[in-house]
Amino acid sequence: GAVVSQHPSWVICKSGTSVKIECRSLDFQATTMFWYRQFPKQSLMLMATSNEGSKATYEQGVEKDKFLINHASLTLSTLTVTSAHPEDSSFYICSARRDRGDTEAFFGQGTRLTVV
Amino acid sequence: GQSLEQPSEVTAVEGAIVQINCTYQTSGFYGLSWYQQHDGGAPTFLSYNALDGLEETGRFSSFLSRSDSYGYLLLQELQMKDSASYFCAVLNQAGTALIFGKGTTLSVSS
């Protein structure tokens, strides 16, 4: 199956600093990627849709200036958590499908962010 | 918007059969998907139903009734490794991104 790789798998940062998370599609081109956030024992909440070559589409309630998304190539999307605070500590996961009509979504392994 | 309801927890013993139900409310419907997620891991695709009826894939089957806005995932011959969270999901109104239910935690004991 298709592979989506996410890096880093975990990161600890100090409050006030920024953290960048990378999401790569390894064996297919993804014009669209998706970023989710998951708190312990909870569901995956869609944060934003990352569009190659254009601005990301953010879900209601997600601060676009805090969660910067860049999709500069067909295989790479990045999520930067700016001025991180302890409440931003969470599991961040990216996802992509081979084609828009594809029924199966592939997920990165996730990034566990801890802000201290 | 899209919303999905599923039970929060289910417990069963090895070898048993368990059914996880999912009801949904959507603006636009493109099909119902099921994903499995082990603790700390990435979700993995299990099944997808676009039409009414039962889809079988090995020990797992998934059912959809569009008229009832209802589906279920059926897991047979349960194994300890099936202990995980199971999410039903639908595409958002734009038909692009998956929206997930709250998830059902399945605990399989020996």
Side-chain angles (χ1 to χ4, degrees):
Chain A
V3 178
V4 174
S5 178
Q6 194 171 333
H7 177 81
S9 54
W10 62 269
V11 58
I12 301 173
C13 72
K14 290 186 177 180
S15 191
T17 62
S18 296
V19 173
K20 180 186 283 189
I21 303 169
E22 292 186 349
C23 179
R24 294 181 184 275
S25 56
L26 298 186
D27 58 352
F28 66 100
Q29 294 182 330
T31 56
T32 306
M33 292 184 175
F34 308 95
W35 287 96
Y36 292 85
R37 181 175 182 174
Q38 186 178 34
F39 291 108
K41 306 296 183 186
Q42 294 189 24
S43 185
L44 294 92
M45 300 301 299
L46 178 67
M47 298 175 66
T49 300
S50 172
N51 303 299
E52 188 268 335
S54 64
K55 291 182 180 179
T57 306
Y58 290 83
E59 295 300 298
Q60 194 172 4
V62 178
E63 299 174 57
K64 61 182 180 182
D65 294 330
K66 179 165 187 62
F67 299 100
L68 299 178
I69 291 173
N70 184 278
H71 195 150
S73 79
L74 286 170
T75 59
L76 174 64
S77 174
T78 60
L79 168 69
T80 301
V81 183
T82 63
S83 186
H85 291 283
E87 57 265 32
D88 298 323
S89 298
S90 188
F91 193 54
Y92 294 87
I93 314 177
C94 67
S95 171
R97 298 200 300 274
R98 282 186 183 277
D99 298 296
R100 182 186 166 92
D102 208 345
T103 57
E104 179 176 355
F106 298 93
F107 289 81
Q109 55 267 61
T111 298
R112 184 157 307 281
L113 170 64
T114 303
V115 184
V116 298
Chain B
Q2 324 296 68
S3 69
L4 304 100
E5 292 291 330
Q6 52 181 128
S8 57
E9 291 184 13
V10 174
T11 59
V13 296
E14 276 187 302
I17 299 172
V18 75
Q19 178 174 313
I20 299 173
N21 299 320
C22 174
T23 57
Y24 58 86
Q25 286 186 314
T26 60
S27 302
F29 180 70
Y30 304 89
L32 184 69
S33 299
W34 290 91
Y35 285 79
Q36 178 192 61
Q37 185 184 31
H38 285 98
D39 241 5
T44 55
F45 174 81
L46 291 178
S47 69
Y48 169 77
N49 295 68
L51 303 175
D52 290 355
L54 190 69
E55 295 279 344
E56 298 180 73
T57 310
R59 294 188 296 116
F60 295 179
S61 303
S62 57
F63 172 83
L64 176 66
S65 168
R66 288 174 298 170
S67 60
D68 295 321
S69 297
Y70 163 77
Y72 66 71
L73 180 69
L74 189 74
L75 300 89
Q76 303 180 75
E77 301 172 20
L78 282 174
Q79 302 175 10
M80 298 287 283
K81 67 178 182 179
D82 298 327
S83 294
S85 292
Y86 293 84
F87 296 90
C88 55
V90 294
L91 285 175
N92 60 3
Q93 192 170 357
T96 54
L98 282 171
I99 305 300
F100 289 86
K102 288 183 166 53
T104 300
T105 301
L106 170 63
S107 300
V108 181
S109 59
S110 56

